[in-house]
Amino acid sequence: MTYELFYWPMIQGRGELVRLALEDAGARYVDVARLPESKGGGIAAMQKLMQAKKGIVPFAPPFLRAGKLLIAQTPNVLLYLAPRLGLVPANEAARLHAHQLALTALDVVNEAHDTHHPIATGLYYEDQKREAKMRAKSFITERIPKFLGYFERTLEQSSGNYLLGRTASYADLTVFQVLRGLDYAFPNGMKKVSRRIKKLRDLEARVANRPKLAAYLASERRIPFNEMGIFRFYPELDRP
Amino acid sequence: MTYELFYWPMIQGRGELVRLALEDAGARYVDVARLPESKGGGIAAMQKLMQAKKGIVPFAPPFLRAGKLLIAQTPNVLLYLAPRLGLVPANEAARLHAHQLALTALDVVNEAHDTHHPIATGLYYEDQKREAKMRAKSFITERIPKFLGYFERTLEQSSGNYLLGRTASYADLTVFQVLRGLDYAFPNGMKKVSRRIKKLRDLEARVANRPKLAAYLASERRIPFNEMGIFRFYPELDRP
């Protein structure tokens, strides 16, 4: 089966977590909105499904079409894909643990978004810059250490090199992406945190070196971080 | 099996979504942090598990102990409980749809929280009141109509009286709780929205009348909404 991913074509965003899972597994997929409209792609194809008059309708991208299934909400898409892509162990306890960790990593993504849009997603960043500076400060000094400290501790208590133990899961890919995003958005803030997350940094390198993922990260399919995405580099929001 | 729920004892919060599921099913459970410390309860019992040196460690409440399993993150707890409590159909498409809807409802919960804490969870509301007013305004005028409009449309396109069709699921309970919370926090704001969400209001009444849930809602086990919780009534944040 060829999976169809629907997500904004110009950013990594939450869709990147799905892309990472598909790429790591070498799954066949189409990143629909990145195709030209003449090939059934573009944002229009995505929005059409969000305005469907019957069946399951997503609230927002990313969503995935897998045969007859239409699956929306990032953690839900990962929940569906992971067992099919070999990205989660078979036993229920491990699956619940993976989902818990991925949901927690996605909470970081949400909070990272709100550093540049603390007041309203409908307003420009420039119109909430003052508030963004305050929110980013508390995010960098309180939230990042708390979240990353939690994942570091999970690795310390793991029986292997990955969050769940000896085998990689989508939780590792998700935490990897969070680290890359935070590094992009808050390079100074992360410099200060990094010496306390050595195991996480090892995990990040281990994930980045997975052969298929390394090829993906070096390819043009990996959209660079940018200031339309969730993780944005605004120097004024970073630690000085 | 007796489930053990761990959550803050003085608020509804995210833990309420787990309580609603357990209560609706008439499941045996203990709300551990609400028990006296002499009976192994209290917040200390909860925090002890969050500082465990091995096994699965939650990042934050709520979490559930079910036999040997420890399950954290609200949607994850619901994902685990729902099939056991008869709160989701057996087929995969319906389960994924339920999870998607519950995750979307939980996004509303997150955004409702941020109306009174737009800058930092570590600061008092009073110290971010100015920003809270701005965030609440955009939440009421843009986000509430968008989210509730989405759920209303899901009901319109449903083949039955519930979000998934003819049988109730934990998605309905979650959306019910979101409506009750929004009504508490933003009574004026919701008055304006209510005429456009007639099917949602019917759903809310249908859920509230489920016998076990009605008994729970009328009991002392249902903690009243209050200004320590996620949905808070601050008149200055509501529509005038």
Side-chain angles (χ1 to χ4, degrees):
Chain A
M1 176 166 55
T2 300
Y3 295 109
E4 290 173 280
L5 168 65
F6 294 82
Y7 194 64
W8 303 110
M10 59 299 211
I11 61 170
Q12 291 188 18
R14 292 181 181 85
E16 193 66 13
L17 300 164
V18 182
R19 292 187 187 118
L20 288 178
L22 292 164
E23 291 281 353
D24 183 71
R28 281 196 302 173
Y29 78 101
V30 183
D31 204 337
V32 179
R34 291 171 79 179
L35 293 180
E37 293 202 10
S38 61
K39 288 189 179 173
I43 290 176
M46 182 170 88
Q47 288 177 325
K48 196 178 160 192
L49 287 174
M50 294 170 65
Q51 290 151 8
K53 293 294 171 213
K54 59 178 187 173
I56 287 170
V57 180
F59 179 76
F63 48 92
L64 186 83
R65 193 151 58 185
K68 287 181 179 173
L69 291 175
L70 191 70
I71 307 152
Q73 274 277 1
T74 313
N76 201 35
V77 174
L78 294 170
L79 183 78
Y80 168 82
L81 281 177
R84 289 161 175 87
L85 302 181
L87 281 171
V88 77
N91 73 84
E92 186 178 36
R95 288 196 179 185
L96 290 165
H97 196 196
H99 203 47
Q100 179 220 317
L101 294 167
L103 285 162
T104 305
L106 279 158
D107 285 344
V108 186
V109 173
N110 284 345
E111 294 195 20
H113 169 272
D114 281 8
T115 59
H116 49 79
H117 278 77
I119 300 301
T121 46
L123 288 178
Y124 289 112
Y125 163 64
E126 284 69 23
D127 295 329
Q128 49 195 312
K129 198 191 271 192
R130 182 185 153 277
E131 295 79 13
K133 283 183 192 170
M134 295 192 289
R135 173 119 189 186
K137 190 178 176 188
S138 76
F139 182 66
I140 293 169
T141 58
E142 294 162 34
R143 303 299 284 169
I144 290 181
K146 184 171 178 179
F147 276 115
L148 298 190
Y150 171 76
F151 290 121
E152 179 76 4
R153 202 170 123 216
T154 302
L155 281 173
E156 282 166 5
Q157 298 182 195
S158 165
S159 59
N161 281 328
Y162 297 96
L163 288 162
L164 295 188
R166 282 178 210 148
T167 51
S169 73
Y170 70 101
D172 299 294
L173 303 187
T174 305
V175 168
F176 162 83
Q177 176 67 8
V178 164
L179 285 170
R180 288 288 163 105
L182 293 175
D183 281 338
Y184 175 78
F186 308 106
N188 292 340
M190 286 297 283
K191 220 172 281 170
K192 188 148 183 192
V193 172
S194 277
R195 56 191 171 79
R196 281 183 286 161
I197 54 165
K198 293 204 186 308
K199 282 186 178 285
L200 267 179
R201 288 303 190 190
D202 289 346
L203 177 74
E204 181 192 353
R206 206 169 290 121
V207 170
N209 286 328
R210 289 166 71 83
K212 286 178 185 139
L213 216 55
Y216 167 66
L217 295 173
S219 76
E220 290 198 348
R221 295 194 302 287
R222 172 81 164 179
I223 301 164
F225 284 108
N226 61 51
E227 281 56 59
M228 292 177 290
I230 289 177
F231 293 104
R232 303 186 186 183
F233 177 51
Y234 294 131
E236 64 273 21
L237 298 190
D238 194 11
R239 201 185 270 274
Chain B
M1 178 166 56
T2 300
Y3 295 109
E4 289 173 280
L5 168 65
F6 295 82
Y7 194 63
W8 303 110
M10 60 298 210
I11 62 169
Q12 290 188 18
R14 291 180 182 86
E16 192 67 12
L17 300 164
V18 182
R19 292 186 187 118
L20 288 178
L22 292 165
E23 292 280 352
D24 183 71
R28 281 196 303 172
Y29 77 102
V30 182
D31 204 337
V32 179
R34 292 171 79 180
L35 293 180
E37 293 201 11
S38 61
K39 288 189 180 173
I43 290 176
M46 182 171 89
Q47 288 177 326
K48 196 178 160 192
L49 288 174
M50 293 170 66
Q51 289 150 9
K53 293 294 172 213
K54 59 178 188 173
I56 287 170
V57 180
F59 179 75
F63 48 93
L64 186 82
R65 193 151 58 184
K68 287 181 179 173
L69 291 174
L70 190 70
I71 308 152
Q73 275 278 1
T74 314
N76 202 35
V77 174
L78 294 171
L79 184 78
Y80 168 82
L81 281 177
R84 289 161 175 87
L85 302 181
L87 281 171
V88 77
N91 73 84
E92 185 178 36
R95 289 196 179 185
L96 290 164
H97 195 196
H99 203 47
Q100 179 220 317
L101 293 168
L103 285 161
T104 305
L106 279 157
D107 285 343
V108 187
V109 174
N110 284 345
E111 294 195 20
H113 169 272
D114 281 8
T115 58
H116 49 79
H117 278 78
I119 300 301
T121 46
L123 288 177
Y124 289 112
Y125 163 64
E126 284 69 23
D127 295 330
Q128 48 195 313
K129 198 191 272 192
R130 182 186 153 276
E131 295 79 13
K133 283 183 193 172
M134 295 192 288
R135 173 120 188 186
K137 190 178 176 187
S138 76
F139 182 65
I140 293 170
T141 58
E142 293 162 34
R143 304 298 284 170
I144 290 182
K146 184 171 176 179
F147 276 115
L148 298 190
Y150 171 76
F151 290 121
E152 179 76 5
R153 203 170 122 215
T154 302
L155 281 173
E156 283 166 4
Q157 298 182 195
S158 165
S159 59
N161 281 328
Y162 296 96
L163 288 162
L164 295 188
R166 283 177 210 147
T167 50
S169 74
Y170 70 101
D172 299 294
L173 302 187
T174 305
V175 168
F176 161 83
Q177 176 66 9
V178 164
L179 285 170
R180 287 288 163 105
L182 293 174
D183 281 337
Y184 175 78
F186 308 106
N188 292 340
M190 286 297 282
K191 220 171 281 170
K192 188 149 181 188
V193 172
S194 276
R195 55 191 171 78
R196 282 182 286 161
I197 54 165
K198 292 202 187 309
K199 282 187 177 285
L200 267 179
R201 289 304 190 187
D202 289 347
L203 177 73
E204 181 193 353
R206 206 168 290 121
V207 169
N209 286 327
R210 289 166 71 82
K212 287 179 185 136
L213 216 55
Y216 167 66
L217 295 173
S219 76
E220 290 198 349
R221 296 194 302 286
R222 172 81 164 179
I223 301 163
F225 284 108
N226 61 51
E227 281 56 58
M228 293 176 290
I230 289 177
F231 293 103
R232 302 186 186 183
F233 177 51
Y234 293 131
E236 63 272 22
L237 299 190
D238 194 10
R239 201 185 270 273

